Amino acid sequence: MTARTVFFLSDGTGITAEAFGNAILAQFDIAVRRVRLPFVDTPDKAHQAIRQINHACETEGQRPLVFSTLVDREVLEVVKTGCKGMWMDTFATFVQPLEQELGVKSLHRVGRFADVSQSREYHDRIEAINFSLAHDDGQSDRDLQSADVILVGVSRSGKTPTSLYLAMQHGLKAANYPLIPEDFERRQLPPALLAWRHKLFGLSINPQRLAEIRSERRPGSRYASLENCRMEVSEAEAMMRRSGIRWLSTTTKSIEEIATTILQELHPQRLGY
């Protein structure tokens, strides 16, 4: 099947348009080619975007899909007048009915991140990212009292991406520690973590999948062998059960699903925007 081109058009970063569009497209079993067009915030940039969209329409012989979160009226008019794609104004779909329901006009604010750099939440998020980077893969056990969550699990079970997602998306200071053969021999958590058991959350993974992931990094090694992966996963899960640590398998879960589960378990109040 020929891939359908999809444009995400925004006068900001395009993240909202892309997130909304991808959620809708996930309902259809089609191949797509995604193009994000951010910062389309002047009529001139709008004309450039329209030329790109219309060129795709002409060369591919089918209408591109266009998810838009434009709010500037002058820019919107350019797009509405010239776009040959199937244009979906995701903001207008919801903003206009809300204006009627609430009895007030929307601010037509350009960009989700306007003036965000001045907010306390933004600075807290940057601090959380720095903390998570400094405490990645057991690099440091300093200041663990400041951690909101400490992820534990075998190497390559998803601890680092989950830590960074929690920091970037939710502003949590997330450290992560690998469980290694020395821990299994002692049958005990790393000593640096014992005082912070209430902050721990475990990640596990199917041994077969773990072996595949590790083989991409170190093919043919004992580290990546299925036998060793089975041993490590079994020992790690047994240790987490003995220690009373809540844990989940990351095998079939996205980073977003893993992070949401952790928030539900440890910090449900952080599920708010």
Side-chain angles (χ1 to χ4, degrees):
M1 181 187 297
T2 303
R4 194 73 173 260
T5 298
V6 182
F7 289 92
F8 303 102
L9 189 61
S10 174
D11 36 27
T13 62
I15 292 174
T16 300
E18 192 165 7
F20 184 88
N22 283 333
I24 298 299
L25 292 170
Q27 307 303 314
F28 301 90
D29 187 17
I30 60 170
V32 297
R33 182 178 73 90
R34 294 171 172 82
V35 182
R36 190 196 296 182
L37 300 179
F39 307 119
V40 181
D41 52 8
T42 67
D44 182 59
K45 291 179 181 178
H47 283 296
Q48 293 177 37
I50 290 305
R51 282 195 292 272
Q52 187 173 345
I53 293 168
N54 291 350
H55 177 72
C57 181
E58 293 163 5
T59 57
E60 296 170 9
Q62 56 185 357
R63 290 199 298 170
L65 310 179
V66 184
F67 291 92
S68 165
T69 53
L70 297 170
V71 296
D72 183 275
R73 291 185 176 87
E74 192 174 1
V75 173
L76 266 172
E77 189 57 35
V78 172
V79 175
K80 289 168 66 176
T81 302
C83 180
K84 293 182 180 178
M86 180 185 177
W87 181 56
M88 288 161 280
D89 189 341
T90 55
F91 272 6
T93 300
F94 300 102
V95 170
Q96 291 174 4
L98 275 173
E99 286 179 335
Q100 295 175 359
E101 178 67 25
L102 299 174
V104 295
K105 286 291 184 180
S106 70
L107 299 175
H108 291 274
R109 180 178 293 144
V110 174
R112 169 186 170 189
F113 301 105
D115 300 324
V116 71
S117 64
Q118 304 303 315
S119 71
R120 179 65 193 174
E121 290 79 7
Y122 180 81
H123 288 287
D124 288 345
R125 186 148 49 99
I126 295 299
E127 188 176 337
I129 294 169
N130 289 332
F131 181 93
S132 297
L133 289 171
H135 293 80
D136 179 44
D137 207 28
Q139 289 182 71
S140 173
D141 57 15
R142 295 179 56 190
D143 198 28
L144 286 180
Q145 68 271 17
S146 298
D148 294 303
V149 60
I150 304 170
L151 302 182
V152 295
V154 299
S155 172
R156 311 300 287 177
S157 58
K159 300 183 303 301
T160 294
T162 302
S163 295
L164 291 176
Y165 182 87
L166 286 168
M168 296 175 68
Q169 191 70 18
H170 298 284
L172 262 67
K173 292 181 178 178
N176 73 80
Y177 260 72
L179 297 177
I180 58 177
E182 287 82 352
D183 300 319
F184 305 144
E185 290 172 8
R186 290 196 314 268
R187 296 177 64 82
Q188 190 177 38
L189 291 167
L193 303 183
L194 294 177
W196 313 109
R197 198 183 303 256
H198 61 290
K199 297 185 177 187
L200 301 183
F201 195 96
L203 301 185
S204 189
I205 188 171
N206 177 275
Q208 181 71 50
R209 178 58 182 146
L210 180 62
E212 293 170 359
I213 294 171
R214 288 182 173 183
S215 292
E216 294 174 1
R217 193 174 192 182
R218 291 168 56 181
S221 65
R222 170 163 173 73
Y223 166 79
S225 71
L226 181 56
E227 178 186 8
N228 182 62
C229 290
R230 283 174 174 159
M231 182 277 293
E232 288 195 21
V233 170
S234 176
E235 290 290 337
E237 291 182 356
M239 181 180 294
M240 289 186 279
R241 282 193 290 268
R242 286 195 306 271
S243 302
I245 298 172
R246 288 162 285 189
W247 61 279
L248 60 79
S249 174
T250 64
T251 309
T252 60
K253 289 182 168 55
S254 67
I255 297 300
E256 293 85 352
E257 289 173 312
I258 298 166
T260 300
T261 301
I262 292 170
L263 287 170
Q264 283 180 319
E265 292 285 342
L266 299 183
H267 297 281
Q269 74 280 4
R270 301 296 281 270
L271 285 168
Y273 185 77

